[in-house]
């Protein structure tokens, strides 16, 4: 599942959000997927982290499996969200970004199968 934020042009990325006070990182993954895209996920797995300078935060990446739901992008957060096949990926973030590194890991896991 990749999403597009308003004003990003044609670029798609992984879902992103902020951890609420008292919330675990895994619970944040579940909540953000449901709030932003309308889907339920399961088995979030930590991928890595990257410093994020706006405003002095840490970006943390997870992968997860789809559980249920129909994609319904929150129009306040996203201009689009959809599933993409490996052979028809859209424009992606630059390679140095944690989002792109996470997507690249997913691609590598599919090619090696």
């Amino acid at each position: 599942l990749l999403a597009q934020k308003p004003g990003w042009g044609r670029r798609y990325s992984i879902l992103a959000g902020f951890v609420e006070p008292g919330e675990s990182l895994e619970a944040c993954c579940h909540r953000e997927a449901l709030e932003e895209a309308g889907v339920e996920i399961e088995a979030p797995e930590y991928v890595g982290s990257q410093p994020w300078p706006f405003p002095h935060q840490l970006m943390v990446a997870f992968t997860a499996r789809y559980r249920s739901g129909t994609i319904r992008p929150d129009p306040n957060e996203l201009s689009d969200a959809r599933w993409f096949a490996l052979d028809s990926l859209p424009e992606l973030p630059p390679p140095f970004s944690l989002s792109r590194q996470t997507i690249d890991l997913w691609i590598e896991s599919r090619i090696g199968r």
Side-chain angles (χ1 to χ4, degrees):
L1 175 65
L2 296 176
Q4 185 180 62
K5 293 233 179 234
W8 275 16
R10 297 179 307 192
R11 181 178 296 171
Y12 281 75
S13 187
I14 60 177
L15 296 175
F18 294 96
V19 178
E20 299 289 338
E23 183 178 51
S24 71
L25 295 173
E26 294 82 2
C28 178
C29 292
H30 288 278
R31 180 182 53 77
E32 288 291 343
L34 190 57
E35 286 179 0
E36 289 194 2
V39 297
E40 291 186 47
I41 60 159
E42 59 187 17
E45 290 187 31
Y46 175 80
V47 171
S49 64
Q50 181 178 53
W52 192 249
F54 308 107
H56 311 290
Q57 297 171 347
L58 179 68
M59 185 176 295
V60 182
F62 283 80
T63 59
R65 291 192 309 260
Y66 168 80
R67 177 186 283 168
S68 65
T70 302
I71 298 174
R72 288 183 307 273
D74 176 349
N76 295 317
E77 297 281 338
L78 304 174
S79 55
D80 191 25
R82 59 177 119 152
W83 304 111
F84 287 92
L86 184 60
D87 62 352
S88 62
L89 292 173
E91 181 180 330
L92 299 172
F96 64 82
S97 73
L98 184 58
S99 175
R100 175 61 177 271
Q101 293 167 20
T102 303
I103 294 167
D104 288 345
L105 283 172
W106 178 82
I107 292 169
E108 289 172 18
S109 76
R110 295 301 177 256
I111 293 172
R113 285 191 176 185

